[in-house]
Amino acid sequence: MTHFLAKASLAALLALCTVPATVTTAAAAGPQTNFVVEAQYHRPIRGCSPMHAVRKARDFGLRDARITRMSPRVVVVAGRDRRGWDRITFANVRGCPLIRR
């Protein structure tokens, strides 16, 4: 009987401790986070971002596209197209212009 009471009291204690934790995470989705999220996306983009290069490579027809090399001048994205493995080279400037396919 003592083991049952010990386990029941431990379960009740854990249940009471999780209630304040769920309230704080629900309060974190308030209007303050919208300002932080919006402020992150208004940075000036200097160069070709890796996500933009992968997105453009997927638009050109590469599947499983991923960055293989990134230097101050070029961003190389490799992946598969219908003929096999291929890679696309973008310039590391704003807009990610295509250099070589």
Side-chain angles (χ1 to χ4, degrees):
M1 184 70 177
T2 57
H3 291 292
F4 174 74
L5 290 176
K7 288 181 183 180
S9 62
L10 180 63
L13 180 67
L14 287 175
L16 288 175
C17 291
T18 58
V19 172
T22 57
V23 172
T24 58
T25 56
Q32 293 84 7
T33 57
N34 290 339
F35 175 72
V36 172
V37 170
E38 289 175 8
Q40 289 176 353
Y41 291 110
H42 292 291
R43 297 184 301 222
I45 297 173
R46 296 183 184 100
C48 179
S49 74
M51 290 188 336
H52 187 31
V54 168
R55 204 174 312 127
K56 276 187 89 167
R58 286 184 182 150
D59 289 343
F60 279 117
L62 281 185
R63 294 180 310 243
D64 299 326
R66 55 186 64 134
I67 302 283
T68 57
R69 193 178 118 208
M70 190 163 181
S71 71
R73 292 181 182 239
V74 296
V75 177
V76 180
V77 180
R80 293 183 60 98
D81 62 356
R82 55 192 168 161
R83 294 174 294 182
W85 290 99
D86 196 10
R87 71 180 169 191
I88 298 177
T89 306
F90 297 105
N92 197 358
V93 294
R94 186 174 179 195
C96 299
L98 179 68
I99 294 177
R100 186 179 320 123
R101 173 139 187 174

